[in-house]
């Protein structure tokens, strides 16, 4: 690759010499040339200095300075993630009746979906999961792990829902009768779905898919409860 | 003639909050099962590196924020398909690169293949800037034309090979190499005339 007309290194050779990507054979030849050619040596030295500076830049990850930036991005990411699962509710609505009109179809839809999915799961997924788990020891370990995570999610959302229910008891007096009625109806629907899934889990306690759906239902209850301050 | 120049795709300390591969595997598995809290842990460990990548490729804070958000939303959507063939950080990084490149493809002004974009004017000896007040490397990178900057960031800062860059961007490996040489020469002229 050496330029025969000028006996200087080619651009490829200079760049690769600077960034250390020459193979052993080429390196020996290039090093020999650099020992004799001041012009090429100076150019490679400049490029090498640049590469060192680039290496410093690459390794100087400023996690601390970027932390506030990325911290501010998470709420929107979470919102988008959640919106893939849950229809977002309008947060600035004040009329209980309007709040109810928007929430009801969603809650009813969730309940219907959960019921349908539960039925399908019991019929189709359960035998596969049980069969898979029984098939190999490794599968059993993986299933145990998945089951544990799903259970953790159930407990996490259930605890949050319980805490929000406690808060609701304190807030009830401040809600209008219409709002209370609407909220009670919505919670009743979600609780019905939760009860159905709890029954399904009791029937098949080692089915991680059922537990994941139960966790999802608790999360939806949490979402409903978090919207209540906006309905008063 | 060339050997591969492999560098890490993340800066030290960015992912070190997660102690050990076992803990990380645990978090990834929980996130894959739909645990948002686990995914948030992954986000906090890797978001600085992803944001830095997006910012270096776009040179625009607002766009870098948007792309970082897009990358993690897509990561959430695609996490179930993550098989652990690579480190989660590598997987996220590659996904983010694709998100940025897709944005570029949607914007025809950001052509990656052009080798004729105007390079920034080199600083002259009369610019009265000494060694102590040399322009910051990040600022210099920001002055590169889009194609050269993209290849430079992917190769020299992220550690992707020319073949990988060709695969990701759709440009020829030779073009990627030429863009890289061009970018480095331009940086030399900006930083130390």
């Amino acid at each position: 690759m050496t330029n025969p007309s000028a006996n200087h290194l080619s651009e490829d050779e200079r760049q690769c010499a600077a960034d250390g990507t020459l193979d052993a054979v080429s390196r020996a030849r290039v090093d020999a040339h650099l020992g004799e050619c001041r012009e090429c040596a100076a150019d490679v030295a400049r490029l090498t200095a640049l590469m060192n500076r680039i290496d410093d830049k690459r390794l100087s990850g400023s996690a601390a300075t970027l932390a506030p930036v990325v911290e501010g991005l998470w709420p929107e990411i979470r919102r988008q993630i959640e919106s893939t699962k849950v229809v977002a509710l309008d947060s600035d609505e004040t009329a209980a009746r309007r709040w109810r009109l928007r929430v009801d179809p969603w809650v009813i839809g969730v309940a219907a979906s959960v019921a349908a999915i539960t039925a399908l799961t019991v019929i189709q997924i359960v035998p596969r999961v049980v069969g898979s788990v029984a098939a190999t020891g490794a599968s059993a370990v993986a299933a145990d792990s998945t089951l544990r995570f799903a259970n953790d999610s159930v407990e996490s959302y259930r605890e949050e829902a319980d805490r929000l229910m406690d808060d609701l008891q304190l807030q009830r007096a401040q809600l209008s009768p219409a709002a209370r009625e609407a909220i009670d109806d919505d919670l009743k629907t979600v609780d019905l779905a939760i009860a159905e899934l709890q029954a399904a889990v009791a029937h098949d306690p080692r089915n991680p898919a059922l537990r994941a759906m139960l966790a999802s239902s608790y999360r939806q209850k949490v979402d409903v409860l978090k919207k209540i301050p906006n309905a008063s | 003639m060339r050997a591969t120049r492999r560098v890490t795709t993340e800066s030290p300390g960015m992912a070190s909050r997660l102690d050990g591969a076992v803990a990380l595997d645990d978090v990834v598995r929980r996130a894959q099962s739909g645990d948002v809290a686990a995914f948030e842990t992954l986000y906090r460990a890797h978001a600085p590196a992803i944001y830095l990548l997006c910012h270096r490729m776009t040179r625009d804070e607002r766009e870098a924020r948007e792309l970082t958000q897009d990358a993690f939303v897509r990561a959430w959507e695609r996490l179930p398909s993550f098989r652990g063939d690579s480190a989660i950080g590598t997987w996220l990084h590659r996904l983010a690169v694709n998100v940025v490149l897709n944005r570029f493809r949607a914007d025809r002004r950001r052509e990656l293949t052009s080798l004729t974009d105007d390079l920034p004017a080199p600083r002259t000896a009369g610019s009265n800037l000494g060694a102590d007040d040399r322009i910051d490397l990040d600022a210099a990178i920001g002055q590169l034309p889009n194609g050269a900057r993209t290849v430079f960031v992917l190769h020299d800062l992220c550690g992707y090979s020319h073949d990988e860059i060709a695969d990701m961007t759709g440009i020829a490996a030779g073009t990627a190499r030429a863009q890289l040489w061009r970018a480095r020469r331009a940086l030399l002229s900006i930083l130390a005339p």
Side-chain angles (χ1 to χ4, degrees), chain A residues 3 20 23 30 49 57 79 104 111 125 139 145 152 155 157 168 193 198 221:
Chain A
N3 183 345
D23 60 39
V30 168
K57 172 61 69 176
R79 188 194 68 73
D104 276 349
I125 298 177
S139 297
S145 179
D152 288 347
E155 290 305 311
Y157 284 122
L168 174 61
Q198 283 175 328
K221 182 174 182 177

Side-chain angles (χ1 to χ4, degrees), chain A residues 49-60, chain B residues 56 59 123 133-144 149 152-153 156-157 183-184 186-192:
Chain A
L50 174 67
M51 295 311 301
N52 290 338
R53 197 167 170 189
I54 290 167
D55 284 344
D56 290 343
K57 172 61 69 176
R58 188 182 64 249
L59 296 175
S60 65
Chain B
R56 280 173 170 166
R59 310 307 308 166
R123 285 165 54 200
D133 52 0
R134 286 178 303 180
I135 187 169
D136 177 74
L137 181 56
D138 263 334
I141 294 168
Q143 294 184 36
L144 296 174
R149 185 179 65 247
F152 173 82
V153 170
D156 279 359
L157 297 181
R184 288 179 184 169
L187 288 175
L188 273 181
S189 72
I190 298 168
L191 294 165

